[in-house]
Amino acid sequence: MQDALIIDGHSLSSRLFLGTAGYPSPQTLVEAIEASQCSVLTLGLKRTLLAGDNGFVAQALQAAQARGVRLLPNTAGCRTAREAVQVAQMARELYGTHWIKLEVVGDEHTLQPDPFELLAAATELGRAGFTVFPYCTDDLVLCRRLLDEAGCAVLMPWGAPIGSGQGLIHLQALRTLRERLPQALLIVDAGLGAPSHAAQALELGFDAVLLNSAVAQAREPVAMAAAFRDAVRGGRQGFLAGLMAPQSFAVASTPVSGHAFLLGSA
């Protein structure tokens, strides 16, 4: 079944977006990219400039080019709208893409996005011709304003705090987003720790997932990348096939009422 994800006019064969931070070596990163068969790769410009490359970015760019993977620079580490806009502009010049994953963190403990600075930055970047992928909470009002006022093409609500591995901790809020924003492209970003978490997000009808730590910090990152690849495919296929509705009571899978059957032999 052909089921490409279309963003900004670009057809993406995979619904798995992969981050590039925290891998034990550049070669492991390259192998994880290949195993994941991801269509989009995120790169943190600010952290790269501050901490140094050490070969990771160069290897990631080569792997992305070889596989036809799109780059999604991010503004990780930014704390204000002004700072995020400046980093986004630098990323566009450096990587030659108008796609930007917008991160504006407002709390140092939870790394929760600052909704006010995020909306301001998204609005300004949208006017400057960027396709903005805002990392946001699961707040419906904020998400609506990012779509309607800032003109974001995609929303990236968190599943749980960044790097926590807790999975989808606010299921009802995520279900509400999907139900109330049926036409929006929604990508679960942050907090996924297991392939089952990714499958669950796709089963709920979310369009894709973005993850980093769950692969980069695994005992075997390449094998974990392949596991997430398969989980995303399975979750999407399950959603399209139509999951059975959960019920609070038992329903026999093989009805026997009205039919004669033997209880035992004489």
Side-chain angles (χ1 to χ4, degrees), residues 6-226:
I6 309 296
I7 299 179
D8 194 28
H10 296 275
S11 178
L12 307 176
S13 60
S14 171
R15 292 172 181 270
L16 174 60
F17 293 20
L18 194 64
T20 55
Y23 285 82
S25 71
Q27 183 59 34
T28 301
L29 170 58
V30 170
E31 292 176 5
I33 293 170
E34 294 173 349
S36 72
Q37 297 183 9
C38 64
S39 289
V40 175
L41 202 64
T42 65
L43 296 164
L45 176 62
K46 185 175 181 181
R47 288 174 180 169
T48 297
L49 294 175
L50 290 175
D53 178 343
N54 295 326
F56 281 88
V57 172
Q59 292 273 20
L61 292 174
Q62 290 177 7
Q65 185 175 21
R67 287 189 46 80
V69 175
R70 288 194 63 85
L71 296 179
L72 179 62
N74 67 54
T75 63
C78 292
R79 297 295 185 269
T80 66
R82 180 179 180 182
E83 184 182 20
V85 168
Q86 291 175 339
V87 170
Q89 291 169 338
M90 287 190 290
R92 180 163 61 179
E93 293 298 319
L94 182 60
Y95 296 121
T97 178
H98 60 277
W99 282 20
I100 191 73
K101 180 192 171 190
L102 179 61
E103 297 184 34
V104 188
V105 169
D107 181 77
E108 296 300 325
H109 178 67
T110 64
L111 299 182
Q112 179 174 324
D114 182 321
F116 306 101
E117 296 293 306
L118 183 69
L119 182 60
T123 302
E124 184 173 347
L125 290 172
R127 291 171 180 165
F130 285 85
T131 297
V132 182
F133 296 60
Y135 164 60
C136 56
T137 64
D138 48 28
D139 181 86
L140 177 60
V141 175
L142 171 62
C143 287
R144 277 182 169 157
R145 294 190 67 179
L146 287 167
L147 291 171
D148 299 338
E149 297 179 22
C152 295
V154 182
L155 299 179
M156 305 187 80
W158 66 354
I162 293 173
S164 69
Q166 297 180 66
L168 309 183
I169 58 175
H170 298 141
L171 273 176
Q172 189 55 48
L174 291 171
R175 286 195 182 100
T176 299
L177 279 186
R178 183 68 285 175
E179 292 169 1
R180 301 297 294 165
L181 305 173
Q183 304 304 318
L185 289 174
L186 301 178
I187 300 172
V188 172
D189 175 22
L192 303 184
S196 58
H197 298 157
Q200 185 180 30
L202 273 293
E203 288 170 355
L204 287 173
F206 283 81
D207 297 287
V209 296
L210 188 153
L211 52 99
N212 188 161
S213 300
V215 172
Q217 298 178 15
R219 185 174 63 253
E220 297 184 20
V222 178
M224 187 61 76

